[in-house]
Amino acid sequence: MEALLQDLKLALRQLAKSPGFTAIAVLTLALGIGANTAIFSAVDAVLLRPLPYPQSDRLVDLSATNAEPVRFAISYPDLLDFRGLTHDFTGVAGYSSQRYNLTGAGDPREVQAAFVTADLFDVLGVHPTIGHSFTPQQENDPVALVSYALWAQSYGRDPAILGKAIALDGKSYTVIGVMPAGFHFPSDGIEVWTPIGGIRAHEPQALTMRDLHVLNGVGRLTAGATLARAQGDLDVLAKRLQAEQANDTGQRRIIAIGPGVGPGGGGGGGPRINASSVDQITFNAQLLRDAAIGDVSGRLWVLLGAVGLVLLIACANAANLLLARAATRGREMAIRRALGAGRGRLIRQLLTESVVLALVGAGLGIVVSKWGLDALLALWPRALPRSHEVGLHPGVLAFTAALALLTGIAFGLAPALRATAVRIEEGLRQDSAGSTGGRRQRVQHTLVVVEMSLALVLLVGAGLLARSFAALNAVSPGFDTRDVLAGRIRLTPSRYPTPPQQKMFFETVQSALAGRSDVTGVALSETMPLSGGIRVVAFDPHPVRPDYPGPYFAALESVVA
C-alpha cells in the first residue's frame, strides 16, 4: 500500500509538470469514456437489467397471432380460457390502454391510463404504496389507482387522497390507492388505472364476445412450467377453439383489433387481414421482458459498438501521446535504473500515471455522459423502452470505473514497455548532441503515421456503425413533415355527448386556426399517420351471401395495407 501511495504521488507530480499534455489526454479520454458510459446506461436499463417485478423472468406476454404472422390483442373470453391453464400459470391478467381528461386537480389535462383486471397487480407482484389494489368485486365500480408521480405533482403527496374523488372524463372515480414510485405498467407515462369493467363504455360487448380482441394479456408461470410448455398448451387451446367455431360458422366472423398499449409502450400499427388468415388465429407466449424490449436491442448494440470504436480511437491517441512523451524520458528512466530501480518497478510507475489519467478522464466523462444521455433521450424519446430507468446508477458508475482502469492499462502498457526498454548507457547519452536526435525524430514520425492510420480505420468503422444505427432508427413517413405541427384534442364525453356537439367544437377550432396569418392549412383526423391508432374490423360475409367471392377481402387489404 505504501508503494502504491508513492506511485500515486509521483504520478500526480509528473502529470502536473506537463499540464498541456495532461489536459489533452484527459479530454480525449473523457469523450471516449463519456460516450460509452452514456450508451451503456441505456443498454443496462433496457437490455441487461431485469424488469422491476419479483421473479420477472416468470412473467410472459400473451397475445394472438394470425397466419401472416401479425401479433395483436386477445379477447376477454380468451383470457378466461388462459386462466384455466392452472398447471402453466399461477395467474393471468388483462389490460387495455385508455386516455382520460383529468379535471379538478389544477388545470385540466389528458392522462394516460389503463383498464386492468383486478388480479393484474397480484400477477406482477406489485402493490400500492398506500391503500389497496382492486378486488374482484370492484371490477365494475368507479374506483381508481393513481401513480406516485401524479399523486406527488397534483396532490402534494397528501395521504388523505384515499377516498377522495377525481374526475375522469367528467365521471367521478374514488381513489383507493397510490402505486409505488417508478411503476408505470404497461408503458411509460401511465398515471391512472381503472377496473376492466369500464371498457364497456367503449366496447359494450368487450367482455362477452370472443371475436373482440381488445385486451393485452400477462401471465406468471408456475414454478415448474416453462415457456415452451405454456406455448404448447396455448397451441392446443387455439386448435380447440378453431374447431368449435368451425362447427358453428365455418370461420371466425369478427376480429376487432385495436392499437392497445403493450408492455414496451406504444401501440402497434394496423395489421393486414385477409381471408386466409382470419380463421387461423393462434396464441403466442413471449417473455414479458422480450416483449417490452421489442426490436430496439439491435440498435442499442450497434450504437454501443460505434462508441466502443470511438473509445479505441481515444485510446490510440492517448497511447501515442504517451509514446511521444516516453521518447523524451529515456534519460530519466536510465538514471532511475542506474540507481537500482528494476524495470518492473518503472513499468508499474508508468502504468500508474496512465491509470490516473484514465480515472481523471472518467470523472470528466461522467459529466459528458450526462449530456449524452439527455441528447439520447431527446432524440429517441418514445422508441426507447424503459426510458425512465435510464440513468447513472451505481452499476453504470462501476462500469465506468472498470472501463477507466482497463483503458488506462490498455493505452499505457506499450508506452511503459517502450520507455523502459532503453539500455542504461543509451539512455544516459540520450540528450548528448547528435546522439539520438535522428532516431528520436524517426520514432516520432512513425508514431504520427501509426496514430493517423489507427484513427482512420477506427473512425471509418465508427462511422459505418453510426450509419447502420441511423438506418435502423430512421423510417421515412412517406410524406413531407416540414413545418407541420400536430396536436391531440380529446373531448370530455359528458360535456360533448352527441356527435353534432363534437362536430361543432372541431369546426370552431379549425376555423380559428385557419384564420391565423401564420397558418397555411388545417386538417382534422381521427388518427394521426403512423401513430399506431389504426383500427381494423374484418368479418366473414359468407353467412349473409354464401356466394360472396374473395374480392371483398382483397378490397379490405387495399384499405388497410
Side-chain angles (χ1 to χ4, degrees), residues 451-515:
E451 178 181 0
M452 293 300 296
S453 300
L454 286 174
L456 180 61
V457 171
L458 295 174
L459 187 60
V460 169
L464 290 175
L465 284 174
R467 182 178 178 182
S468 299
F469 170 76
L472 288 170
N473 200 40
V475 176
S476 174
F479 51 88
D480 189 0
T481 59
R482 291 173 297 178
D483 300 323
V484 177
L485 299 178
R488 191 205 327 265
I489 301 176
R490 189 177 186 282
L491 301 182
T492 300
S494 61
R495 187 171 179 181
Y496 300 92
T498 66
Q501 291 175 312
Q502 298 167 10
K503 182 173 182 289
M504 181 179 297
F505 175 88
F506 285 114
E507 287 177 344
T508 302
V509 172
Q510 186 175 18
S511 299
L513 291 175

Side-chain angles (χ1 to χ4, degrees), residues 64-72 242 252 255 257 271-283 557:
T65 59
N66 65 358
E68 302 240 356
V70 172
R71 295 180 67 244
F72 47 89
Q242 289 175 14
R252 306 189 80 156
I255 303 173
I257 305 168
R272 300 173 68 234
I273 304 296
N274 57 40
S276 65
S277 63
V278 168
D279 60 345
Q280 298 181 37
I281 293 178
T282 57
F283 301 120
E557 282 192 316

Side-chain angles (χ1 to χ4, degrees), residues 345-527:
R345 177 68 176 82
L346 296 179
I347 291 176
R348 189 181 71 187
Q349 173 60 47
L350 294 175
L351 284 178
T352 301
E353 292 181 20
S354 63
V355 169
V356 169
L357 275 176
L359 290 175
V360 175
L364 184 58
I366 291 175
V367 179
V368 174
S369 69
K370 182 63 171 68
W371 297 335
L373 271 179
D374 293 341
L376 178 67
L377 295 177
L379 293 173
W380 212 3
R382 297 184 63 183
L384 187 65
R386 306 177 66 184
S387 58
H388 63 280
E389 298 181 42
V390 177
L392 300 178
H393 302 293
V396 176
L397 296 180
F399 165 81
T400 303
L403 184 63
L405 290 173
L406 181 61
T407 299
I409 295 173
F411 74 76
L413 185 58
L417 294 174
R418 168 71 179 82
T420 58
V422 179
R423 292 180 297 178
I424 296 177
E425 299 82 359
E426 183 180 346
L428 292 174
R429 294 196 303 266
Q430 188 179 81
D431 293 333
S432 303
S435 59
T436 59
R439 180 179 177 182
R440 184 185 307 169
Q441 191 174 32
R442 288 193 301 271
V443 170
Q444 290 174 345
H445 288 170
T446 302
L447 293 177
V448 171
V449 172
V450 172
E451 178 181 0
M452 293 300 296
S453 300
L454 286 174
L456 180 61
V457 171
L458 295 174
L459 187 60
V460 169
L464 290 175
L465 284 174
R467 182 178 178 182
S468 299
F469 170 76
L472 288 170
N473 200 40
V475 176
S476 174
F479 51 88
D480 189 0
T481 59
R482 291 173 297 178
D483 300 323
V484 177
L485 299 178
R488 191 205 327 265
I489 301 176
R490 189 177 186 282
L491 301 182
T492 300
S494 61
R495 187 171 179 181
Y496 300 92
T498 66
Q501 291 175 312
Q502 298 167 10
K503 182 173 182 289
M504 181 179 297
F505 175 88
F506 285 114
E507 287 177 344
T508 302
V509 172
Q510 186 175 18
S511 299
L513 291 175
R516 294 177 58 94
S517 60
D518 54 352
V519 175
T520 60
V522 181
L524 299 175
S525 173
E526 183 179 5
T527 302

Side-chain angles (χ1 to χ4, degrees), residues 118-155:
D119 57 347
L120 174 68
F121 306 103
D122 289 329
V123 170
L124 295 177
V126 179
H127 299 92
T129 297
I130 61 173
H132 62 86
S133 56
F134 307 129
T135 64
Q137 293 74 27
Q138 292 177 314
E139 284 201 335
N140 296 300
D141 294 345
V143 292
L145 296 168
V146 299
S147 70
Y148 190 94
L150 179 63
W151 178 50
Q153 295 167 7
S154 300
Y155 301 97

Side-chain angles (χ1 to χ4, degrees), residues 38-220:
I39 302 304
F40 178 80
S41 64
V43 171
D44 175 62
V46 177
L47 304 180
L48 303 181
R49 197 181 309 163
L51 294 176
Y53 314 119
Q55 295 183 313
S56 61
D57 59 323
R58 311 296 298 169
L59 294 173
V60 296
D61 175 73
L62 300 169
S63 61
T65 59
N66 65 358
E68 302 240 356
V70 172
R71 295 180 67 244
F72 47 89
I74 62 175
S75 68
Y76 189 76
D78 290 337
L79 180 73
L80 297 181
D81 286 329
F82 294 168
R83 288 176 174 172
L85 302 176
T86 54
H87 59 300
D88 290 321
F89 303 107
T90 60
V92 178
Y95 59 93
S96 181
S97 64
Q98 167 65 352
R99 291 180 182 271
Y100 288 116
N101 287 339
L102 173 66
T103 56
D107 294 333
R109 66 187 184 91
E110 185 182 65
V111 295
Q112 295 187 51
F115 295 120
V116 302
T117 56
D119 57 347
L120 174 68
F121 306 103
D122 289 329
V123 170
L124 295 177
V126 179
H127 299 92
T129 297
I130 61 173
H132 62 86
S133 56
F134 307 129
T135 64
Q137 293 74 27
Q138 292 177 314
E139 284 201 335
N140 296 300
D141 294 345
V143 292
L145 296 168
V146 299
S147 70
Y148 190 94
L150 179 63
W151 178 50
Q153 295 167 7
S154 300
Y155 301 97
R157 296 187 177 87
D158 181 9
I161 185 69
L162 299 182
K164 285 189 175 181
I166 60 174
L168 302 174
D169 281 355
K171 182 180 178 180
S172 178
Y173 285 77
T174 302
V175 177
I176 63 172
V178 177
M179 297 306 296
F183 179 82
H184 300 286
F185 189 89
S187 64
D188 294 348
I190 295 290
E191 296 181 287
V192 176
W193 296 263
T194 55
I196 194 66
I199 201 173
R200 291 193 185 93
H202 304 269
E203 298 284 357
Q205 296 178 301
L207 302 185
T208 57
M209 290 191 64
R210 185 176 295 278
D211 294 320
L212 284 176
H213 292 245
V214 295
L215 295 180
N216 298 94
V218 58
R220 180 174 288 276

Side-chain angles (χ1 to χ4, degrees), residues 237-249:
L237 173 63
K239 290 178 180 178
R240 177 174 64 80
L241 294 176
Q242 289 175 14
E244 291 175 358
Q245 294 209 347
N247 293 331
D248 182 23
T249 64

